[in-house]
Amino acid sequence: MKPDSQSPILVEVLPLGGFDHALTYGAKPSIFAYLKVGSLVRVPLGLRRITGVVSSLSPQHSPPKDKLRFISALVQPEPVLNTELVRLAKWVASYYACSLENTLGAMIPASVRDGMEPKTRRMIQVIKLPAKDVSSLFKGSPKQAKAYALLKEMDDEVIDVVQWGKKEKFSSTVIEGLIKKGLVKQTFSEIHREAYADEFSQSTPSLVESIPSLTHEQKLARDQIASDLQSEKFNTRLLQGVTGSGKTEVYCQAMETVLKDGGGVLFLVPEVALAPQTVDRLRARFGRKGEEVVVWHSHLSAGERLDAWRKLARGHARIVVGARSAVFAPVQNLRLVVVDEEHEPAYKQEDSPRYQGRDVAVYRAYLNAATCLLGSATPSLETTLNVEKGKYAKSVLSQRIDGRELPLVHLVDMRREAIKQRNTPILSQSLIEALRHRYENKEQSILFLNRRGFNTTLFCTECGEVEQCRDCSIAMTYHRTDHYLHCHLCGYRKPAPRICGNCQSLEIRKKGHGTQRIEDVVESIMPKNARIVRVDADVMIKKNLFREILSDFRQGKIDVLVGTQMIAKGLDFPRVTLVGVIDADLPLRMEDFRASERAFQILVQVAGRAGRGDRAGEVYIQTYAPHESCIQFARRTELEAFLEEELEMRKELYYPPYSHLIRHVFKGRGEEKTRFYAEQWRKQLDNAQLAGVTIKGPAATPLAKLKGYYRFHLFYLSASVTRCLSQIQKVREEFPIDKEVIDFLDVDAQQVS
Ligand code: ADP
Ligand code: ZN
Ligand code: ZN
């Protein structure tokens, strides 16, 4: 709208605070001149002053003149969103059934929203004037005269006020005086806070110096990607490559092509704290060319994030590496999106907005007509099916670099071990011997424990049988309170058996082991001087502890590293020659239809940790279910065979990727009330007769009570998220719920707990 002396200029603003629709405000010409779609402004709302995003410069709605309120300030000089990101936000909000406000909250870092100022240093520079002109100015202020004389000697140098004042012992009033009199010029220079540019960085010089000549397969992949990029159309490609096959090198080649053409790159990793090596490699590779690599993840301080955000928004940096939230980073002219380890569940956000970072990445590439690369050694079934359907292209790296062998994998049958040792041991005899042997040879070992389950499923230590739901093919959960087994997908329950249904044994167990217990056992079997370190969730909370541990481990200061899946990811330790998997089938005992997929992925990934250097590696997989096909496939790294079998199973049961899974959670402080509404809701749905939606539940969640809330959930399986949601939301509008019960939807749910 054109400024006009008669009527005020109107602008549409989306307030970021308790309002989910746009409001119209007036804008003074002096502010309007700087406004764009996506500008962050401060506006009055009731008695408060809040921030909002300009969503249109030509609003539909104009309030009466006497009610019109005005934008009070522009918070950031550059818009916080561009048209592309506004479209992305709208898509995320509608696809993942969350509010636009929540989505914008996730997209715009808090420090940017709050209008935090960049950290600056105050600098001064002398303005030289002839002595006769200034002498009169210094009457009664000899200190100013002295300071000016000193500054004049420094010529045109721009100096830091605080440092200089301290060194020369001038108070700030003296300098202020000089500024007021126009004898020195004051400027501000931004200080950039850079994440991970510290002593734990491991930029190996060899990485900086030599770019390897590519293998045949790498070249092929590089050329295929180059032609994807050249098409300047949206496309997605799976880069399927075993661990150590040089996927990162292929990403780098694609990045170089893009940067040469002035494009921007978004590089996603499942968890940045776990990918310092990738960050270091990218920095070593591109930093040398003056390209700054911005790191983006949830552990950044507000200031670090603000700086990262600004550099990208202004186009000063063109590469961002980050965890899922980086998918919203304001990279300019985005040409390439890389999603490394695309199968990782960590890409799913478990709080609102509950988006799947990988899928948003693909959509963002689509909005930019860019290329999306999904990399994995063990691609997800979703991606595999998309390749099969021809939606995604595929490049394969089947060989490890230098033809290095995959490690030798031993399956240790823990059922036999249990009989031999007359209890359920944590470590098998063969793994103990292997650990001691490595220590003697001054080689390193990793002991890996799968994520602790809820430890409440029943399994037979003699035959490995796990009690499963007859309808859902997932492990049932044991409830102490009533001694029943419950299915947490459909709600089916039955009394817990006392004997194994498969082999009639009485050896039915409920317990798993934590990392602490394993650390104790390892300490007890290893020589006194062996250095054993444990990595678990507690370690991850402390900002740099994990990176310190990794650094120590790489330097050989640790003999045995014990940990959960955080040590399975993307780590490259040349001196590790032994990997032990404590309990390979734990995921199979969890209440999740993705259990086999997880077990397979984790085993392949962990095995890839052994023998990355010159020495051959060995892997011991302890299992109560050596016959399980996912374990057999993992042992032989038979990816295609595994995918084929698993896809068949999913198809039969109409699970993802053949359908979309939407989870609907009801939670409340009162158990009965919450259950009541979940059950009433199901009745409502049955009456409504939804088209193309399979409904399961309600059932209590595996963790029935979480943070004081009882939780019940339903699952909707449907071919189309949009069609399913629109039907559900319509029924929901006519279903009143007590305000003590909260419900939310989780689209493409990963977590079923
Ligand atoms: P992935 O990402 O598939 O696990 P990486 O990219 O980490 O594999 O490669 C494994 C190792 O091989 C790295 O140390 C990397 O520098 C090296 N590498 C990659 N490509 C080549 C090549 N063409 N020639 C020699 N070394 C290579
Ligand atoms: Zn049995
Ligand atoms: Zn069931």
Side-chain angles (χ1 to χ4, degrees):
M1 206 170 176
K2 278 257 146 51
D4 164 336
S5 56
Q6 298 301 308
S7 55
I9 317 165
L10 300 180
V11 170
E12 188 185 85
V13 176
L14 198 58
L16 298 174
F19 250 78
D20 210 29
H21 61 265
L23 297 170
T24 301
Y25 285 89
K28 300 246 164 63
S30 58
I31 287 185
F32 183 78
Y34 296 98
L35 291 187
K36 295 190 184 122
V37 169
S39 288
L40 192 69
V41 290
R42 205 171 290 285
V43 290
L45 183 73
L47 293 175
R48 294 181 299 155
R49 224 167 261 285
I50 60 160
T51 42
V53 179
V54 173
S55 49
S56 167
L57 296 179
S58 45
Q60 312 279 315
H61 169 81
S62 60
K65 237 178 185 170
D66 56 326
K67 290 264 171 66
L68 184 69
R69 303 184 78 180
F70 281 80
I71 290 178
S72 41
L74 178 64
V75 180
Q76 292 281 343
E78 56 267 288
V80 293
L81 297 174
N82 53 26
T83 321
E84 171 228 339
L85 287 172
V86 171
R87 279 178 73 191
L88 187 66
K90 287 184 177 160
W91 179 77
V92 167
S94 89
Y95 185 89
Y96 292 102
C98 54
S99 74
L100 193 54
E101 190 192 324
N102 258 348
T103 311
L104 292 174
M107 286 180 114
I108 311 166
S111 46
V112 176
R113 254 177 296 157
D114 301 344
M116 182 171 166
E117 288 298 323
K119 201 168 169 186
T120 54
R121 287 192 301 167
R122 214 150 64 104
M123 311 297 283
I124 48 170
Q125 191 180 15
V126 73
I127 298 169
K128 282 193 192 165
L129 295 172
K132 61 176 174 30
D133 293 355
V134 285
S135 57
S136 65
L137 291 173
F138 292 134
K139 259 194 202 119
S141 39
K143 281 195 181 156
Q144 284 186 16
K146 199 175 149 205
Y148 185 67
L150 276 174
L151 283 168
K152 263 175 100 169
E153 282 168 25
M154 302 176 71
D155 283 326
D156 290 335
E157 208 176 318
V158 182
I159 54 176
D160 184 308
V161 178
V162 179
Q163 277 179 12
W164 185 76
K166 238 184 227 160
K167 188 174 130 227
E168 303 290 347
K169 305 208 167 52
F170 288 114
S171 70
S172 58
T173 19
V174 174
I175 298 164
E176 291 303 332
L178 291 175
I179 295 170
K180 271 203 199 110
K181 289 174 182 167
L183 294 170
V184 298
K185 192 168 75 184
Q186 171 172 254
T187 53
F188 291 92
S189 100
E190 279 185 31
I191 302 171
H192 292 293
R193 289 152 284 212
E194 190 178 359
Y196 287 175
D198 55 24
E199 74 269 33
F200 303 120
S201 298
Q202 297 288 332
S203 321
T204 339
S206 67
L207 275 176
V208 180
E209 275 149 31
S210 68
I211 293 170
S213 60
L214 301 186
T215 64
H216 176 68
E217 285 183 326
Q218 282 176 318
K219 269 188 205 146
L220 193 62
R222 177 199 60 191
D223 294 346
Q224 286 166 333
I225 296 162
S227 79
D228 292 349
L229 286 166
Q230 225 164 28
S231 78
E232 296 192 14
K233 289 200 185 87
F234 161 62
N235 46 59
T236 306
R237 177 177 295 276
L238 166 66
L239 180 60
Q240 180 180 308
V242 296
T243 19
S245 61
K247 292 187 289 298
T248 312
E249 185 53 41
V250 174
Y251 303 145
C252 287
Q253 297 272 343
M255 289 169 72
E256 268 169 17
T257 309
V258 165
L259 293 167
K260 223 183 284 158
D261 292 346
V265 178
L266 172 60
F267 194 118
L268 297 182
V269 290
E271 162 68 87
V272 172
L274 305 183
Q277 292 178 6
T278 308
V279 173
D280 293 340
R281 261 168 86 178
L282 295 179
R283 283 219 164 117
R285 180 72 166 259
F286 295 101
R288 183 174 51 133
K289 299 186 173 148
E291 239 5 288
E292 195 176 336
V293 177
V294 170
V295 178
W296 188 285
H297 58 83
S298 56
H299 302 302
L300 292 186
S301 70
E304 284 170 341
R305 176 154 308 204
L306 177 69
D307 291 350
W309 185 88
R310 267 171 190 268
K311 283 183 212 164
L312 293 167
R314 292 176 178 173
H316 295 173
R318 299 187 293 163
I319 307 173
V320 60
V321 187
R324 63 171 177 260
S325 62
V327 77
F328 300 123
V331 185
Q332 304 296 301
N333 187 20
L334 183 64
R335 303 301 318 141
L336 175 68
V337 180
V338 175
V339 185
D340 196 20
E341 312 283 358
E342 64 86 26
H343 62 276
E344 279 292 335
Y347 280 118
K348 184 66 167 46
Q349 162 113 344
E350 299 295 356
D351 305 311
S352 182
R354 298 181 170 79
Y355 62 93
Q356 157 57 278
R358 175 198 58 214
D359 298 345
V360 176
V362 173
Y363 195 81
R364 192 166 174 200
Y366 160 74
L367 288 178
N368 285 281
T371 292
C372 185
L373 270 183
L374 307 176
S376 178
T378 53
S380 65
L381 287 147
E382 282 77 3
T383 297
T384 305
L385 189 62
N386 278 325
V387 171
E388 236 172 58
K389 285 182 182 162
K391 275 182 152 175
Y392 297 174
K394 175 163 117 174
S395 300
V396 179
L397 305 179
S398 60
Q399 305 292 320
R400 278 185 144 190
I401 293 297
D402 294 342
R404 265 179 257 152
E405 291 292 307
L406 281 169
L408 184 62
V409 179
H410 309 274
L411 280 189
V412 184
D413 187 340
M414 292 305 280
R415 300 169 304 179
R416 268 194 249 152
E417 204 72 21
I419 297 166
K420 221 164 48 187
Q421 299 195 24
R422 290 172 199 282
N423 62 9
T424 40
I426 291 178
L427 297 179
S428 61
Q429 211 52 49
S430 47
L431 183 52
I432 292 174
E433 272 159 33
L435 279 168
R436 288 179 179 152
H437 194 89
R438 298 300 139 144
Y439 178 70
E440 282 159 22
N441 283 356
K442 302 199 164 38
E443 294 174 4
Q444 293 176 301
S445 307
I446 292 179
L447 278 184
F448 173 77
L449 174 79
N450 279 323
R451 184 177 66 130
R452 219 174 329 177
F454 305 110
N455 289 341
T456 43
T457 45
L458 285 189
F459 80 107
C460 170
T461 60
E462 296 215 345
C463 77
E465 177 82 359
V466 180
E467 284 287 338
Q468 290 197 332
C469 171
R470 52 180 191 175
D471 292 330
C472 306
S473 294
I474 59 163
M476 297 183 79
T477 302
Y478 174 74
H479 281 214
R480 238 166 270 275
T481 41
D482 58 3
H483 300 289
Y484 264 63
L485 290 173
H486 294 238
C487 171
H488 284 290
L489 226 49
C490 72
Y492 170 70
R493 41 185 291 219
K494 66 176 183 186
R498 281 169 203 286
I499 56 169
C500 171
N502 185 47
C503 74
Q504 277 72 50
S505 153
L506 288 167
E507 297 298 315
I508 293 186
R509 295 289 156 112
K510 306 181 205 70
K511 281 255 177 294
H513 314 289
T515 41
Q516 170 76 63
R517 177 97 183 85
I518 292 168
E519 186 188 11
D520 295 345
V521 171
V522 176
E523 257 162 16
S524 72
I525 59 113
M526 292 293 276
K528 267 242 143 24
N529 292 333
R531 289 147 305 176
I532 298 148
V533 173
R534 169 169 55 101
V535 176
D536 58 16
D538 301 339
V539 167
M540 299 306 290
I541 294 166
K542 306 202 178 108
K543 198 175 174 195
N544 276 324
L545 187 54
F546 182 55
R547 303 179 68 224
E548 268 171 64
I549 291 174
L550 292 185
S551 172
D552 285 353
F553 192 53
R554 194 171 291 107
Q555 291 169 40
K557 293 184 191 164
I558 296 168
D559 299 305
V560 184
L561 195 62
V562 179
T564 51
Q565 72 255 46
M566 17 191 112
I567 60 172
K569 285 177 196 163
L571 305 176
D572 195 348
F573 301 112
R575 279 202 281 178
V576 173
T577 54
L578 174 70
V579 169
V581 182
I582 304 290
D583 190 351
D585 13 294
L586 195 60
L588 297 179
R589 277 179 253 136
M590 304 224 291
E591 314 74 354
D592 189 346
F593 65 89
R594 289 192 175 91
S596 309
E597 185 183 0
R598 289 279 167 274
F600 178 83
Q601 287 165 346
I602 291 172
L603 289 181
V604 171
Q605 208 168 43
V606 172
R609 298 302 129 227
R612 288 201 129 205
D614 309 325
R615 295 171 232 203
E618 257 187 313
V619 178
Y620 286 79
I621 297 178
Q622 301 192 151
T623 170
Y624 285 96
H627 48 276
E628 276 291 340
S629 58
C630 64
I631 289 177
Q632 288 291 340
F633 287 137
R635 172 199 191 181
R636 301 190 297 259
T637 340
E638 289 177 347
L639 177 65
E640 305 299 335
F642 168 76
L643 290 172
E644 193 182 320
E645 185 187 280
E646 188 64 17
L647 277 177
E648 206 168 291
M649 188 280 274
R650 299 279 180 92
K651 190 173 190 176
E652 202 170 295
L653 295 161
Y654 194 49
Y655 281 146
Y658 290 94
S659 64
H660 288 274
L661 180 74
I662 300 175
R663 179 182 184 225
H664 192 172
V665 178
F666 288 75
K667 62 175 203 175
R669 301 219 178 259
E671 185 176 7
E672 280 320 306
K673 195 184 258 179
T674 313
R675 185 202 311 274
F676 173 80
Y677 278 100
E679 281 169 357
Q680 288 306 112
W681 168 249
R682 169 74 203 233
K683 283 184 193 144
Q684 194 90 354
L685 284 181
D686 287 342
N687 291 337
Q689 301 206 335
L690 309 186
V693 182
T694 305
I695 307 169
K696 281 174 181 271
T701 61
L703 285 167
K705 199 173 172 193
L706 188 69
K707 294 178 187 156
Y709 284 94
Y710 290 94
R711 304 182 316 149
F712 295 85
H713 55 195
L714 295 95
F715 290 91
Y716 314 127
L717 293 160
S718 175
S720 158
V721 167
T722 326
R723 273 206 4 210
C724 178
L725 281 182
S726 70
Q727 296 180 77
I728 299 274
Q729 281 162 341
K730 215 165 114 210
V731 182
R732 180 64 184 81
E733 273 161 28
E734 270 140 42
F735 180 73
I737 297 188
D738 189 295
K739 64 179 187 307
E740 283 171 21
V741 178
I742 302 160
D743 71 323
F744 63 84
L745 292 162
D746 184 2
V747 175
D748 290 337
Q750 281 282 346
Q751 219 175 42
V752 292
S753 53

